[in-house]
Amino acid sequence: MKIEKCVKVFSCCAVGCLLAPAWVVAGQLEVTSETSLAFYERDSKTDKDLALVPLREYLGVDYITDVEGLSFHGYGWGRFNLGENDYFQDENEGAFLYGYLEYRHAASNVSMLLGRQQLFSGVANESLDGFSLRTPLGTIFDLSLYGGSPVAITEDGRSGDSIVGGRIANFRPGLYELGLSYKLIRNDSTDDDEKLGVDVSLNLPYSIGFNGFSSVNMLTDSWAEHSYEMQVQAGSFQIRPMLQLFQYDDYFSSNEKSANPFRFLADSGEELTIIGVEVDWFGAESYELNLKAKNIAYDLRDDSSNYISGMVIKHLEDLCQVGIELGVMAGDTSDNEYLLGRAFVYWDRLPESIPVEFISSDLVFVGYGEDIYGQSNSTFISLGTGKTFLDKALALKFSLDYSRDPYFDNDFRSKLVAEYTFGKE
Amino acid sequence: MFGKMKYVVGLLIVTLLFLYACAAKQNAGYIFPSIHPEELEPGRPICSDCHDGNDRIVYARFNHTATFTENHRQLAYQYEQACNMCHQQRFCNGCHGVWMEEKPSDKDTTSTYRRTPHRGDYLARHRIDGRVDPTSCFRCHGNPKTAQNCAPCHG
């Protein structure tokens, strides 16, 4: 049965690719296919060491019509477990992530999207079925508007579900941008999420930048979040102090439909303050250095945690990078402590005498302040490689991962990926 | 506190539209190209190598430094069009899609330089990070659909 479904879908893909050249005559079509075959073992509630062989297809379509500025974009994925078990029976077998018509008037910079789309705009990070519009208003204003049905709230049907919102921004190139945004999500005709946001970017003298945003939960009538950051360029250093404040009662939602891990936080009355600084150094052309320090403090719990990390990346010839990272989370309680060490090598453009084009490797070691399921530490190793064919239209990649951590004694996972782009110019 | 906020917002919008009306006779302002005009070199782009600070956006903030993956949130909220010059929605969906079965580091296992989130032991480590700062989890897992990843253990 699974094989039959597999054959059906891939037959459709093949037919699509065969028909595509005819389509191209009327416009420009690009089809991207990412097919992956993974192999690993997992325990289910009733069985141990089930062999999982999920075959996944991520399919993207971009079609630029002959009508100037009009195009279609779509993307989704599907999965078939080729293993002889029902491990994935309670999971979705795929998802339609977006599919929209876009009209863009190049001269005026007006763009309109109609269909399922992912949207980032002010207080919105949403997927919706509907429309969105972006347009400049004169030379110093920008407006975006959107409306439709939210994709994330569909458990009990979509009747009475809606999302509307927008952002208006005032800007002066090289000086500042000030944005005001709003969104309202209704679930079953009841207000589920209503946020108002203000965002700002300032380009100050002496190469100092300031940016951030605040959001108000309109349902609780109080601030939910303030997040602000400065960028100070001092020679080859870029220093970025930051401050974040969260009020849990207003940031999280205690609605019945709210996601479970966070629902109880919304009634906790807790306030979280994060003060930190990040420093990037580009002093030597081939080196990249990053240092980060954060203090994360709670008002009600009256304790705090500190995270400090450092990372050095050496850039070699042929796009080869070698990096080392060390991080320490130190909390007031030992169960909030860990030490993280990571090393990675990514080498693109390997010599032609080597039959693959790149190698990718990762080693992550984490020691925990307090044992988790009797384990005091974990190790993760990843090795990957790949090669392109057909003038880079086809890429084959292979990876092998190993984990030993509180959840897996000795876990091996392998994955083969074929990425194919039809119509790429 | 914010009961009257809706009216304030309405007033602000009307004011801004009035300002627009004053400026409408001028041409459109800064136009983001639909795609980056020049093909970029392979590797993480450092935008400020070519762009100065007098454009609408401060390109130095878009430099894809080693920690850009975890620091790009506000840039996307303010300048999604700038992201769209190089990235199509499916690139963002790799991490931000409403229903992605694979965690980002499992979907893309061979781009270690990207420092994709949840690499390695993260199933174990999220117990600590989640206690320390649950707001960072909420941004992606905060709605019923994306929280399905959390449901097997958290209900």
Side-chain angles (χ1 to χ4, degrees):
Chain A
M1 186 64 188
K2 285 171 187 161
I3 299 292
E4 282 174 19
K5 284 171 80 177
C6 220
V7 168
K8 279 180 190 170
V9 169
F10 283 93
S11 299
C12 289
C13 292
V15 170
C17 288
L18 286 171
L19 293 176
W23 218 4
V24 172
V25 176
Q28 187 182 333
L29 176 72
E30 185 173 296
V31 179
T32 58
S33 163
E34 181 184 324
T35 309
S36 70
L37 182 66
F39 179 83
Y40 53 100
E41 292 180 335
R42 287 291 176 270
D43 295 343
S44 70
K45 288 174 185 170
T46 54
D47 299 296
K48 284 197 170 297
D49 299 332
L50 295 174
L52 306 184
V53 193
L55 176 70
R56 292 188 178 89
E57 169 66 23
Y58 294 86
L59 194 65
V61 176
D62 298 284
Y63 179 58
I64 300 169
T65 70
D66 281 346
V67 179
E68 192 174 342
L70 186 66
S71 58
F72 172 81
H73 308 270
Y75 186 57
W77 65 270
R79 183 244 307 122
F80 312 97
N81 180 21
L82 300 182
E84 293 297 320
N85 54 66
D86 55 4
Y87 181 83
F88 292 104
Q89 67 174 349
D90 295 331
E91 309 285 338
N92 288 344
E93 291 185 322
F96 169 49
L97 293 171
Y98 66 80
Y100 60 87
L101 267 175
E102 178 177 15
Y103 176 72
R104 182 184 167 90
H105 189 259
S108 63
N109 204 22
V110 173
S111 67
M112 286 177 281
L113 275 63
L114 183 66
R116 177 166 293 188
Q117 56 198 280
Q118 179 93 29
L119 190 121
F120 301 93
S121 179
V123 288
N125 170 8
E126 304 294 338
S127 181
L128 63 97
D129 290 332
F131 81 96
S132 67
L133 165 75
R134 277 179 198 277
T135 177
L137 301 175
T139 56
I140 55 172
F141 288 98
D142 230 7
L143 176 71
S144 73
L145 296 169
Y146 54 87
S149 174
V151 176
I153 308 171
T154 56
E155 288 77 35
D156 46 4
R158 305 188 72 175
S159 173
D161 298 351
S162 64
I163 177 170
V164 292
R167 176 176 178 266
I168 188 162
N170 171 231
F171 61 88
R172 288 279 185 186
L175 291 177
Y176 73 89
E177 173 145 345
L178 181 64
L180 183 68
S181 58
Y182 173 80
K183 91 174 163 187
L184 170 63
I185 297 176
R186 288 171 67 80
N187 185 11
D188 296 338
S189 304
T190 305
D191 290 354
D192 186 72
D193 186 9
E194 187 177 15
K195 293 258 169 55
L196 178 71
V198 179
D199 58 78
V200 62
S201 282
L202 300 178
N203 199 12
L204 301 168
Y206 304 107
S207 301
I208 295 174
F210 177 81
N211 59 275
F213 65 95
S214 295
S215 66
V216 177
N217 186 335
M218 303 290 280
L219 300 179
T220 58
D221 277 356
S222 190
W223 295 107
E225 174 183 5
H226 302 284
S227 291
Y228 291 89
E229 180 188 277
M230 284 184 79
Q231 301 94 34
V232 181
Q233 199 70 42
S236 52
F237 289 91
Q238 191 189 55
I239 304 161
R240 300 197 300 276
M242 53 83 78
L243 171 69
Q244 291 183 302
L245 303 168
F246 297 92
Q247 295 194 139
Y248 280 16
D249 288 8
D250 310 294
Y251 183 77
F252 299 111
S253 169
S254 60
N255 291 347
E256 192 184 328
K257 303 291 190 310
S258 170
N260 203 26
F262 310 103
R263 194 185 309 159
F264 74 97
L265 293 170
D267 294 322
S268 65
E270 186 61 273
E271 292 182 21
L272 174 67
T273 304
I274 303 174
I275 298 173
V277 64
E278 199 165 326
V279 179
D280 283 311
W281 179 69
F282 303 97
E285 195 171 309
S286 62
Y287 279 96
E288 203 175 335
L289 175 71
N290 175 273
L291 297 171
K292 186 193 297 185
K294 271 187 189 178
N295 174 266
I296 304 143
Y298 316 92
D299 185 41
L300 286 182
R301 274 164 54 185
D302 195 24
D303 67 6
S304 65
S305 297
N306 296 301
Y307 184 72
I308 299 170
S309 71
M311 177 164 48
V312 183
I313 297 174
K314 168 76 174 168
H315 295 269
L316 302 162
E317 287 184 1
D318 299 324
L319 291 175
C320 178
Q321 303 175 36
V322 181
I324 294 174
E325 180 180 352
L326 192 66
V328 179
M329 177 72 83
D332 281 350
T333 55
S334 59
D335 61 348
N336 278 355
E337 292 180 351
Y338 64 76
L339 169 75
L340 181 148
R342 176 174 179 257
F344 79 91
V345 177
Y346 185 83
W347 189 356
D348 209 344
R349 296 183 182 174
L350 286 164
E352 288 185 1
S353 56
I354 299 176
V356 291
E357 284 176 12
F358 74 88
I359 56 169
S360 167
S361 64
D362 215 352
L363 168 65
V364 183
F365 174 84
V366 181
Y368 307 110
E370 202 168 89
D371 287 3
I372 300 176
Y373 295 137
Q375 298 288 322
S376 61
N377 59 63
S378 68
T379 306
F380 169 77
I381 300 169
S382 176
L383 295 169
T385 188
K387 188 172 175 63
T388 57
F389 303 88
L390 305 175
D391 201 19
K392 301 207 171 188
L394 173 68
L396 294 180
K397 299 176 180 179
F398 177 75
S399 65
L400 182 64
D401 292 358
Y402 165 79
S403 290
R404 181 195 53 75
D405 60 44
Y407 287 87
F408 303 105
D409 294 332
N410 284 296
D411 186 45
F412 287 92
R413 301 187 297 280
S414 61
K415 190 173 185 183
L416 180 66
V417 179
E419 295 173 356
Y420 179 67
T421 305
F422 170 82
K424 187 176 182 180
E425 290 189 352
Chain B
M1 180 182 176
F2 293 99
K4 295 179 181 173
M5 187 59 82
K6 290 177 186 175
Y7 303 105
V8 175
V9 173
L11 189 63
L12 268 173
I13 290 174
V14 170
T15 307
L16 289 171
L17 288 174
F18 174 74
L19 289 170
Y20 158 63
C22 298
K25 289 183 179 176
Q26 303 177 51
N27 295 326
Y30 182 87
I31 293 179
F32 288 102
S34 57
I35 57 170
H36 194 275
E38 291 184 22
E39 190 168 346
L40 298 174
E41 290 288 311
R44 288 189 272 118
I46 302 297
C47 308
S48 59
D49 282 352
C50 300
H51 295 277
D52 62 25
N54 292 318
D55 289 318
R56 176 176 170 188
I57 58 179
V58 180
Y59 281 94
R61 288 178 59 201
F62 286 81
N63 287 345
H64 286 37
T65 60
T67 55
F68 187 78
T69 306
E70 60 205 63
N71 291 334
H72 67 281
R73 177 169 71 124
Q74 197 194 334
L75 289 174
Y77 289 164
Q78 277 192 310
Y79 304 113
E80 186 189 21
Q81 289 166 291
C83 306
N84 291 343
M85 280 192 255
C86 300
H87 299 296
Q88 292 176 309
Q89 285 196 8
R90 59 175 162 268
F91 182 85
C92 311
N93 277 173
C95 298
H96 298 285
V98 163
W99 179 238
M100 292 294 283
E101 186 171 62
E102 296 182 283
K103 63 179 183 174
S105 56
D106 281 350
K107 182 173 184 296
D108 185 357
T109 51
T110 54
S111 300
T112 46
Y113 64 92
R114 286 179 60 195
R115 296 180 79 249
T116 45
H118 304 354
R119 204 157 184 81
D121 71 320
Y122 204 76
L123 186 60
R125 199 160 18 110
H126 93 283
R127 297 159 62 101
I128 301 172
D129 283 350
R131 270 197 303 269
V132 169
D133 179 12
T135 63
S136 61
C137 310
F138 183 75
R139 278 175 215 133
C140 294
H141 295 282
N143 67 60
K145 219 158 201 173
T146 52
Q148 286 179 34
N149 302 92
C150 319
C153 299
H154 294 279

